[in-house]
Amino acid sequence: MKDAKIIHDGVHGSMKVAGPILELVKTPEFQRLRHIRQLGLAYLVYPGANHSRFEHSLGTWHLAKRLASEVGLSEDESLLLQVGALLHDIGHGPLSHTFEGIYRHYVKEHDHMRLGQDIIMGKINITGDEDGGRIPEILEKHGIDPREVADLLLGKAEKPYLGQMLHGGVDVDQLDYLIRDAYYTGVAYGIIDLERLLKVLEIHNGELVVDEKGVEAVEGMLVARSLMYSRVYFHHTVKIAEGMLTRALEFALEEGHLWDFWKMTDCRVLVELEDLEGLSSELTRRVLYRKLYKAAVLASAEELGPDEKRELLSAYRNVKKRQELERALAEAVGASEGEVILEFSIADLMVSEPRLKETGIKVLLENGEVQPLSKVTPLANALKRRQTPRWAVLIASPEKYVDKLREGWKEVLFS
C-alpha cells in the first residue's frame, strides 16, 4: 500500500499503518506520547518499565483493528473504533496517572479524559507546535466526526458495543496494557490468552458479549488485572515515589509555578521541578536518585471503621484537607512540611481505573440466554470482593520518623 509504514512492536510484532491512522500518528499531539511513560514512576521498582503511551496507543489501535475484523464491524464502524483506540490516551499529562489526583483541585477544566476530548475537537493545541491542532481536520477529511471520536473515549457511542470495545469489561485498552505492562516489567501476572479473548467476543442484541466457551479466558484476564494492580500499579514503593513527586508539584503550584504542567512531557516536568528552589527541588531530586521515603503505615481496609473510611475518603476528595492531615502528622512526629505523605488506594483506583471492580461482563450461553458473568462463574464475585491492593492507607516519611508515625497515626488522623 502506497504511503504505508511498517512499525515493529515488541508485543504485537509488525503492524502496517496507513491512511488516516498514519496521518494521526504523524501529528505532534500523538508524537508527544513518545515522551510520556506508560507506568509513570514504576521504573523505580521495575527497571524495564520505560515503555510509553505512544507504544500502548499503537497497540490498542492494532487490537481494535483485529477485534473489528473478528466481530464483523462495517468499514465505517471499524474506522471509528480504530481512531478512538489510537487517540484514547492523547490527553495524558506527564508521567501518566501520577498527577491525576490533583488535576481537579488545581486545573479544574482538565483531566486526561476531558483534555483528550478537547484535543480531538481542536479546542486545545497541547504542544504549541505550528502543525498542532490538526486532528479534527484530519478526521473530517476522512469522513469521521470528531465529536463521535471524543464521545467514544468515554465509552459512549450511538451503538453500545462500540463503546464497550474501547471502554468496557473486556476491551482493547485493557488487553494491550495488561500484556504490555507484564512484558516490560517482567512480572508474569499480566499474561492473558489474547488470541482466545479476541475469538470469543461477539455482538449480540447491540451489545458486546462473551461466548460461553470463552469464560475461562475472561476469568484469566480478570485474575491478571487484579494481580497487576496489587503487584505493579499500586506497589507501595511506586505510590511513595508518585506521592513525593506530586507533593513537589503541589508546592510549585502553590508558589505560582508550573501551572501548565498538564501540557508537559515527563522530562520537561522533572527538569522544571528540579530547577525550582526549596521543597519542590528537594523532593524531585530524591525521586530522581531514588532516595525515597519509607512506608511507616500500610493499613488495610479491614483495619478501618466506617467513620474512619468516610473521613479518609473526604480527605482524598479534598486536596486541602489531605494536606492539613499531612501537616498534622508531620508536626506530631517532629518532621518538617513535605516529610510525611498520605496516600489512599481504594478511592484512587475508582478515579484512575473504574473498570477494576467491573465484572458485569455479559455471557452468551449455548441456549441463547444472556447472563452476567457473575451468574456464570463464582470467580467474578470473588475478584470483586478481593481487596486490591492489600493496603488502603499508606503513610510514608524519612526513616527516622517511621516508628513514631506507626505509634500515633490513628490518633492524629481520627481524634
Side-chain angles (χ1 to χ4, degrees), residues 221-243:
M221 189 209 81
L222 294 176
V223 170
R225 185 175 69 179
S226 182
L227 293 176
M228 285 294 283
Y229 271 87
S230 293
R231 190 73 180 88
V232 177
Y233 308 139
F234 275 73
H235 189 292
H236 69 273
T237 305
V238 175
K239 295 309 291 184
I240 289 171
E242 290 180 352

PDB file of all heavy atoms in Angstrom, residues 221-243:
ATOM      1  N   MET A 221      -8.236 -13.164  32.428  1.00  0.00           N
ATOM      2  CA  MET A 221      -7.981 -11.730  32.291  1.00  0.00           C
ATOM      3  C   MET A 221      -8.289 -10.980  33.589  1.00  0.00           C
ATOM      4  O   MET A 221      -7.539 -10.104  34.013  1.00  0.00           O
ATOM      5  CB  MET A 221      -8.817 -11.141  31.158  1.00  0.00           C
ATOM      6  CG  MET A 221      -8.454  -9.711  30.793  1.00  0.00           C
ATOM      7  SD  MET A 221      -9.807  -8.742  30.119  1.00  0.00           S
ATOM      8  CE  MET A 221     -10.666  -8.269  31.615  1.00  0.00           C
ATOM      9  N   LEU A 222      -9.399 -11.347  34.234  1.00  0.00           N
ATOM     10  CA  LEU A 222      -9.772 -10.682  35.479  1.00  0.00           C
ATOM     11  C   LEU A 222      -8.760 -10.947  36.588  1.00  0.00           C
ATOM     12  O   LEU A 222      -8.426 -10.052  37.372  1.00  0.00           O
ATOM     13  CB  LEU A 222     -11.165 -11.142  35.918  1.00  0.00           C
ATOM     14  CG  LEU A 222     -12.336 -10.741  35.011  1.00  0.00           C
ATOM     15  CD1 LEU A 222     -13.635 -11.348  35.530  1.00  0.00           C
ATOM     16  CD2 LEU A 222     -12.467  -9.236  34.916  1.00  0.00           C
ATOM     17  N   VAL A 223      -8.270 -12.171  36.660  1.00  0.00           N
ATOM     18  CA  VAL A 223      -7.251 -12.501  37.655  1.00  0.00           C
ATOM     19  C   VAL A 223      -5.979 -11.710  37.367  1.00  0.00           C
ATOM     20  O   VAL A 223      -5.373 -11.111  38.274  1.00  0.00           O
ATOM     21  CB  VAL A 223      -6.956 -14.015  37.656  1.00  0.00           C
ATOM     22  CG1 VAL A 223      -5.724 -14.321  38.519  1.00  0.00           C
ATOM     23  CG2 VAL A 223      -8.156 -14.793  38.187  1.00  0.00           C
ATOM     24  N   ALA A 224      -5.570 -11.692  36.095  1.00  0.00           N
ATOM     25  CA  ALA A 224      -4.365 -10.945  35.713  1.00  0.00           C
ATOM     26  C   ALA A 224      -4.498  -9.472  36.067  1.00  0.00           C
ATOM     27  O   ALA A 224      -3.570  -8.863  36.609  1.00  0.00           O
ATOM     28  CB  ALA A 224      -4.113 -11.112  34.213  1.00  0.00           C
ATOM     29  N   ARG A 225      -5.648  -8.903  35.776  1.00  0.00           N
ATOM     30  CA  ARG A 225      -5.885  -7.486  36.063  1.00  0.00           C
ATOM     31  C   ARG A 225      -5.779  -7.202  37.554  1.00  0.00           C
ATOM     32  O   ARG A 225      -5.108  -6.252  37.978  1.00  0.00           O
ATOM     33  CB  ARG A 225      -7.266  -7.100  35.538  1.00  0.00           C
ATOM     34  CG  ARG A 225      -7.598  -5.633  35.654  1.00  0.00           C
ATOM     35  CD  ARG A 225      -8.929  -5.327  34.995  1.00  0.00           C
ATOM     36  NE  ARG A 225     -10.060  -5.908  35.717  1.00  0.00           N
ATOM     37  CZ  ARG A 225     -11.334  -5.763  35.363  1.00  0.00           C
ATOM     38  NH1 ARG A 225     -11.625  -5.082  34.272  1.00  0.00           N
ATOM     39  NH2 ARG A 225     -12.303  -6.292  36.059  1.00  0.00           N
ATOM     40  N   SER A 226      -6.413  -8.024  38.355  1.00  0.00           N
ATOM     41  CA  SER A 226      -6.385  -7.836  39.798  1.00  0.00           C
ATOM     42  C   SER A 226      -4.965  -7.941  40.346  1.00  0.00           C
ATOM     43  O   SER A 226      -4.531  -7.116  41.163  1.00  0.00           O
ATOM     44  CB  SER A 226      -7.292  -8.877  40.468  1.00  0.00           C
ATOM     45  OG  SER A 226      -7.318  -8.690  41.864  1.00  0.00           O
ATOM     46  N   LEU A 227      -4.220  -8.932  39.878  1.00  0.00           N
ATOM     47  CA  LEU A 227      -2.862  -9.130  40.374  1.00  0.00           C
ATOM     48  C   LEU A 227      -1.913  -8.033  39.912  1.00  0.00           C
ATOM     49  O   LEU A 227      -1.019  -7.624  40.651  1.00  0.00           O
ATOM     50  CB  LEU A 227      -2.339 -10.504  39.938  1.00  0.00           C
ATOM     51  CG  LEU A 227      -3.051 -11.709  40.560  1.00  0.00           C
ATOM     52  CD1 LEU A 227      -2.524 -13.008  39.976  1.00  0.00           C
ATOM     53  CD2 LEU A 227      -2.889 -11.715  42.079  1.00  0.00           C
ATOM     54  N   MET A 228      -2.088  -7.534  38.701  1.00  0.00           N
ATOM     55  CA  MET A 228      -1.229  -6.450  38.218  1.00  0.00           C
ATOM     56  C   MET A 228      -1.439  -5.178  39.027  1.00  0.00           C
ATOM     57  O   MET A 228      -0.492  -4.430  39.286  1.00  0.00           O
ATOM     58  CB  MET A 228      -1.484  -6.179  36.737  1.00  0.00           C
ATOM     59  CG  MET A 228      -0.884  -7.225  35.807  1.00  0.00           C
ATOM     60  SD  MET A 228       0.922  -7.274  35.811  1.00  0.00           S
ATOM     61  CE  MET A 228       1.314  -5.837  34.818  1.00  0.00           C
ATOM     62  N   TYR A 229      -2.668  -4.932  39.452  1.00  0.00           N
ATOM     63  CA  TYR A 229      -2.907  -3.750  40.280  1.00  0.00           C
ATOM     64  C   TYR A 229      -2.254  -3.902  41.642  1.00  0.00           C
ATOM     65  O   TYR A 229      -1.682  -2.942  42.179  1.00  0.00           O
ATOM     66  CB  TYR A 229      -4.409  -3.460  40.402  1.00  0.00           C
ATOM     67  CG  TYR A 229      -4.869  -2.573  39.287  1.00  0.00           C
ATOM     68  CD1 TYR A 229      -5.278  -3.103  38.065  1.00  0.00           C
ATOM     69  CD2 TYR A 229      -4.814  -1.186  39.407  1.00  0.00           C
ATOM     70  CE1 TYR A 229      -5.646  -2.290  37.015  1.00  0.00           C
ATOM     71  CE2 TYR A 229      -5.176  -0.361  38.357  1.00  0.00           C
ATOM     72  CZ  TYR A 229      -5.587  -0.920  37.168  1.00  0.00           C
ATOM     73  OH  TYR A 229      -5.927  -0.105  36.124  1.00  0.00           O
ATOM     74  N   SER A 230      -2.305  -5.096  42.211  1.00  0.00           N
ATOM     75  CA  SER A 230      -1.666  -5.317  43.508  1.00  0.00           C
ATOM     76  C   SER A 230      -0.153  -5.262  43.400  1.00  0.00           C
ATOM     77  O   SER A 230       0.522  -4.645  44.218  1.00  0.00           O
ATOM     78  CB  SER A 230      -2.067  -6.688  44.066  1.00  0.00           C
ATOM     79  OG  SER A 230      -3.428  -6.735  44.380  1.00  0.00           O
ATOM     80  N   ARG A 231       0.378  -5.926  42.378  1.00  0.00           N
ATOM     81  CA  ARG A 231       1.821  -6.173  42.302  1.00  0.00           C
ATOM     82  C   ARG A 231       2.587  -5.038  41.624  1.00  0.00           C
ATOM     83  O   ARG A 231       3.753  -4.789  41.958  1.00  0.00           O
ATOM     84  CB  ARG A 231       2.061  -7.479  41.527  1.00  0.00           C
ATOM     85  CG  ARG A 231       3.485  -7.993  41.571  1.00  0.00           C
ATOM     86  CD  ARG A 231       3.814  -8.573  42.933  1.00  0.00           C
ATOM     87  NE  ARG A 231       5.190  -9.055  42.960  1.00  0.00           N
ATOM     88  CZ  ARG A 231       6.248  -8.310  43.279  1.00  0.00           C
ATOM     89  NH1 ARG A 231       6.081  -7.028  43.579  1.00  0.00           N
ATOM     90  NH2 ARG A 231       7.447  -8.831  43.308  1.00  0.00           N
ATOM     91  N   VAL A 232       1.958  -4.352  40.680  1.00  0.00           N
ATOM     92  CA  VAL A 232       2.685  -3.348  39.896  1.00  0.00           C
ATOM     93  C   VAL A 232       2.111  -1.946  40.087  1.00  0.00           C
ATOM     94  O   VAL A 232       2.773  -1.049  40.603  1.00  0.00           O
ATOM     95  CB  VAL A 232       2.696  -3.711  38.391  1.00  0.00           C
ATOM     96  CG1 VAL A 232       3.400  -2.622  37.577  1.00  0.00           C
ATOM     97  CG2 VAL A 232       3.370  -5.056  38.168  1.00  0.00           C
ATOM     98  N   TYR A 233       0.860  -1.734  39.645  1.00  0.00           N
ATOM     99  CA  TYR A 233       0.320  -0.384  39.576  1.00  0.00           C
ATOM    100  C   TYR A 233       0.214   0.281  40.949  1.00  0.00           C
ATOM    101  O   TYR A 233       0.395   1.494  41.065  1.00  0.00           O
ATOM    102  CB  TYR A 233      -1.049  -0.388  38.888  1.00  0.00           C
ATOM    103  CG  TYR A 233      -1.050  -1.089  37.546  1.00  0.00           C
ATOM    104  CD1 TYR A 233      -2.090  -1.922  37.162  1.00  0.00           C
ATOM    105  CD2 TYR A 233       0.000  -0.928  36.653  1.00  0.00           C
ATOM    106  CE1 TYR A 233      -2.098  -2.567  35.932  1.00  0.00           C
ATOM    107  CE2 TYR A 233       0.017  -1.569  35.427  1.00  0.00           C
ATOM    108  CZ  TYR A 233      -1.036  -2.387  35.069  1.00  0.00           C
ATOM    109  OH  TYR A 233      -1.024  -3.029  33.865  1.00  0.00           O
ATOM    110  N   PHE A 234      -0.087  -0.516  41.985  1.00  0.00           N
ATOM    111  CA  PHE A 234      -0.192   0.052  43.337  1.00  0.00           C
ATOM    112  C   PHE A 234       0.846  -0.547  44.274  1.00  0.00           C
ATOM    113  O   PHE A 234       0.614  -0.657  45.469  1.00  0.00           O
ATOM    114  CB  PHE A 234      -1.623  -0.109  43.877  1.00  0.00           C
ATOM    115  CG  PHE A 234      -2.533   0.998  43.449  1.00  0.00           C
ATOM    116  CD1 PHE A 234      -2.976   1.080  42.139  1.00  0.00           C
ATOM    117  CD2 PHE A 234      -2.922   1.987  44.330  1.00  0.00           C
ATOM    118  CE1 PHE A 234      -3.792   2.113  41.723  1.00  0.00           C
ATOM    119  CE2 PHE A 234      -3.740   3.032  43.933  1.00  0.00           C
ATOM    120  CZ  PHE A 234      -4.173   3.101  42.634  1.00  0.00           C
ATOM    121  N   HIS A 235       1.982  -0.921  43.723  1.00  0.00           N
ATOM    122  CA  HIS A 235       3.115  -1.307  44.559  1.00  0.00           C
ATOM    123  C   HIS A 235       3.421  -0.128  45.482  1.00  0.00           C
ATOM    124  O   HIS A 235       3.491   1.022  45.044  1.00  0.00           O
ATOM    125  CB  HIS A 235       4.320  -1.614  43.663  1.00  0.00           C
ATOM    126  CG  HIS A 235       5.475  -2.224  44.388  1.00  0.00           C
ATOM    127  ND1 HIS A 235       6.216  -1.530  45.319  1.00  0.00           N
ATOM    128  CD2 HIS A 235       6.033  -3.481  44.321  1.00  0.00           C
ATOM    129  CE1 HIS A 235       7.178  -2.308  45.792  1.00  0.00           C
ATOM    130  NE2 HIS A 235       7.084  -3.500  45.200  1.00  0.00           N
ATOM    131  N   HIS A 236       3.601  -0.414  46.773  1.00  0.00           N
ATOM    132  CA  HIS A 236       3.684   0.712  47.725  1.00  0.00           C
ATOM    133  C   HIS A 236       4.883   1.617  47.460  1.00  0.00           C
ATOM    134  O   HIS A 236       4.812   2.833  47.676  1.00  0.00           O
ATOM    135  CB  HIS A 236       3.697   0.193  49.180  1.00  0.00           C
ATOM    136  CG  HIS A 236       4.945  -0.531  49.578  1.00  0.00           C
ATOM    137  ND1 HIS A 236       5.121  -1.885  49.370  1.00  0.00           N
ATOM    138  CD2 HIS A 236       6.086  -0.088  50.160  1.00  0.00           C
ATOM    139  CE1 HIS A 236       6.295  -2.241  49.825  1.00  0.00           C
ATOM    140  NE2 HIS A 236       6.911  -1.167  50.300  1.00  0.00           N
ATOM    141  N   THR A 237       5.992   1.064  46.956  1.00  0.00           N
ATOM    142  CA  THR A 237       7.151   1.914  46.669  1.00  0.00           C
ATOM    143  C   THR A 237       6.871   2.845  45.497  1.00  0.00           C
ATOM    144  O   THR A 237       7.289   4.012  45.491  1.00  0.00           O
ATOM    145  CB  THR A 237       8.391   1.049  46.377  1.00  0.00           C
ATOM    146  OG1 THR A 237       8.601   0.151  47.481  1.00  0.00           O
ATOM    147  CG2 THR A 237       9.626   1.911  46.190  1.00  0.00           C
ATOM    148  N   VAL A 238       6.154   2.333  44.493  1.00  0.00           N
ATOM    149  CA  VAL A 238       5.763   3.180  43.359  1.00  0.00           C
ATOM    150  C   VAL A 238       4.876   4.317  43.848  1.00  0.00           C
ATOM    151  O   VAL A 238       5.055   5.483  43.463  1.00  0.00           O
ATOM    152  CB  VAL A 238       5.022   2.347  42.286  1.00  0.00           C
ATOM    153  CG1 VAL A 238       4.505   3.264  41.170  1.00  0.00           C
ATOM    154  CG2 VAL A 238       5.938   1.273  41.706  1.00  0.00           C
ATOM    155  N   LYS A 239       3.917   3.995  44.711  1.00  0.00           N
ATOM    156  CA  LYS A 239       2.998   5.029  45.204  1.00  0.00           C
ATOM    157  C   LYS A 239       3.711   6.044  46.094  1.00  0.00           C
ATOM    158  O   LYS A 239       3.342   7.220  46.120  1.00  0.00           O
ATOM    159  CB  LYS A 239       1.836   4.390  45.963  1.00  0.00           C
ATOM    160  CG  LYS A 239       0.925   3.527  45.098  1.00  0.00           C
ATOM    161  CD  LYS A 239       0.446   4.243  43.853  1.00  0.00           C
ATOM    162  CE  LYS A 239      -0.526   5.362  44.130  1.00  0.00           C
ATOM    163  NZ  LYS A 239      -1.045   5.973  42.877  1.00  0.00           N
ATOM    164  N   ILE A 240       4.740   5.625  46.822  1.00  0.00           N
ATOM    165  CA  ILE A 240       5.519   6.570  47.618  1.00  0.00           C
ATOM    166  C   ILE A 240       6.240   7.555  46.698  1.00  0.00           C
ATOM    167  O   ILE A 240       6.211   8.774  46.910  1.00  0.00           O
ATOM    168  CB  ILE A 240       6.527   5.829  48.526  1.00  0.00           C
ATOM    169  CG1 ILE A 240       5.784   5.112  49.660  1.00  0.00           C
ATOM    170  CG2 ILE A 240       7.555   6.806  49.103  1.00  0.00           C
ATOM    171  CD1 ILE A 240       6.665   4.175  50.481  1.00  0.00           C
ATOM    172  N   ALA A 241       6.878   7.033  45.655  1.00  0.00           N
ATOM    173  CA  ALA A 241       7.578   7.909  44.705  1.00  0.00           C
ATOM    174  C   ALA A 241       6.602   8.871  44.039  1.00  0.00           C
ATOM    175  O   ALA A 241       6.878  10.072  43.909  1.00  0.00           O
ATOM    176  CB  ALA A 241       8.291   7.059  43.648  1.00  0.00           C
ATOM    177  N   GLU A 242       5.438   8.361  43.614  1.00  0.00           N
ATOM    178  CA  GLU A 242       4.438   9.225  42.984  1.00  0.00           C
ATOM    179  C   GLU A 242       3.934  10.276  43.966  1.00  0.00           C
ATOM    180  O   GLU A 242       3.726  11.438  43.599  1.00  0.00           O
ATOM    181  CB  GLU A 242       3.279   8.371  42.468  1.00  0.00           C
ATOM    182  CG  GLU A 242       3.651   7.514  41.261  1.00  0.00           C
ATOM    183  CD  GLU A 242       2.499   6.668  40.762  1.00  0.00           C
ATOM    184  OE1 GLU A 242       1.447   6.615  41.442  1.00  0.00           O
ATOM    185  OE2 GLU A 242       2.644   6.048  39.690  1.00  0.00           O
ATOM    186  N   GLY A 243       3.751   9.868  45.225  1.00  0.00           N
ATOM    187  CA  GLY A 243       3.303  10.815  46.244  1.00  0.00           C
ATOM    188  C   GLY A 243       4.316  11.924  46.475  1.00  0.00           C
ATOM    189  O   GLY A 243       3.951  13.103  46.603  1.00  0.00           O
TER     190      GLY A 243
END
